[in-house]
Amino acid sequence: YSLGGSVVLEYDVSPVGPYREYVTMGGVVGLGQVSVGETNKRFLGVGQWGTDLYVSTQVAEDVCKQVWGVPAQVANIDFEEEGNVIQDGPDSEVVSRSGVTKKNFKLSGWDNTRVLSTEELQQQTKRFGNIPIFWTPTIKALWAPISLPNFSNKVTQEELLPVHKLRLSASALRLKQCKRIGQSEGEIPIGLTLVVDNVLIEIGEQVNSGSL
C-alpha cells in the first residue's frame, strides 16, 4: 500500500489566465537525486509523486511543457457548485473523431471548498504559512524541504532531476468530508479532504548553483 489521492486547483489568476488543474498523486517516494549545479547533486528526503497532471486549457498545457518540463495533458475539468459534500468523480473519457482520447473529471459540491466569503476575500489579503517545498516538475513530485549529500556515481549529471524551490501560503484551511466515486481497483478512500482557500504558489527558478 501507499498514500495517494487527488489534488484539484482552481487558478483564478495566473500568468496564463484562469484555468483548472487535476493531479492524481501516485504515492510516497524517497531519495530523489537532483542537480544543483554542474558538479553538485543532492538527495531529497521524502515526497509525494504525481502520476498524471491535467489542465483545462491548451495554453496552460503549453506552459507546463515548455517552461517547466511538466508532462501535462488537457482535460475537461468540470465543477458543480451544488452538493452537501465534496464529491470527486465519476471520471470518464471521450474519444474525438480523430481518435484522440480526452479525460473528463467531475467534481460536485464545489461550493464546499470555499472557506472565505467574497467579502472576506476582498478584505482579507493576508496569507499565512510561507511553507517551503522542493519541486521536481519532470516527475510531478513535491518534496519536504530536506536535502542530503549525494556522493553516488551511479547516476550521471544528465540523469539527475531538475529542482525548484516553492513557497506556499494561504488565508484559510479546513478538513472536510469528501466522497470518491468510481475509485480504481485497490483504492481505499479515507473520506476526508483538506480544503485550502486563497492560495498563493510562488515558484523559483531552477536551482543551478550552490546547495538546497
Side-chain angles (χ1 to χ4, degrees):
Y1 292 96
S2 187
L3 180 64
S6 303
V7 176
V8 186
L9 300 168
E10 184 174 24
Y11 293 94
D12 298 317
V13 178
S14 84
V16 296
Y19 72 96
R20 296 168 178 176
E21 182 174 296
Y22 188 104
V23 187
T24 56
M25 306 304 291
V28 176
V29 290
L31 295 182
Q33 299 190 58
V34 299
S35 170
V36 289
E38 293 183 2
T39 60
N40 196 1
K41 53 190 176 182
R42 303 281 290 181
F43 279 121
L44 299 184
V46 62
Q48 184 78 39
W49 165 58
T51 53
D52 295 286
L53 185 148
Y54 301 91
V55 292
S56 60
T57 67
Q58 186 61 55
V59 64
E61 181 195 44
D62 294 341
V63 167
C64 283
K65 291 180 176 179
Q66 297 168 15
V67 177
W68 303 115
V70 177
Q73 306 169 62
V74 173
N76 297 317
I77 305 173
D78 297 323
F79 295 160
E80 290 186 0
E81 297 291 323
E82 294 79 14
N84 295 326
V85 298
I86 301 166
Q87 180 174 295
D88 182 1
D91 306 332
S92 61
E93 292 183 346
V94 175
V95 180
S96 67
R97 293 181 179 178
S98 60
V100 177
T101 301
K102 192 174 186 180
K103 285 272 192 180
N104 289 325
F105 297 100
K106 178 183 177 181
L107 292 105
S108 56
W110 191 249
D111 186 58
N112 295 286
T113 66
R114 297 185 177 89
V115 180
L116 304 175
S117 66
T118 302
E119 292 75 16
E120 288 174 320
L121 285 171
Q122 293 173 345
Q123 299 172 3
Q124 182 176 336
T125 57
K126 186 174 182 179
R127 295 182 175 92
F128 307 91
N130 289 325
I131 301 171
I133 292 178
F134 296 149
W135 179 44
T136 49
T138 52
I139 64 167
K140 305 176 293 295
L142 298 172
W143 302 81
I146 301 170
S147 70
L148 306 168
N150 182 356
F151 303 108
S152 171
N153 294 317
K154 294 182 180 180
V155 177
T156 66
Q157 196 70 23
E158 290 73 24
E159 294 174 311
L160 295 173
L161 297 169
V163 61
H164 297 255
K165 292 181 178 180
L166 269 66
R167 188 167 60 188
L168 303 179
S169 54
S171 296
L173 60 85
R174 298 288 188 275
L175 195 63
K176 294 197 174 186
Q177 183 181 0
C178 178
K179 293 182 179 179
R180 172 68 178 149
I181 306 299
Q183 60 261 28
S184 302
E185 183 179 356
E187 284 187 17
I188 304 176
I190 62 173
L192 295 172
T193 187
L194 184 65
V195 172
V196 187
D197 207 349
N198 200 29
V199 179
L200 177 65
I201 304 174
E202 300 173 273
I203 307 175
E205 295 182 357
Q206 180 180 335
V207 178
N208 286 317
S209 61
S211 61
L212 293 175

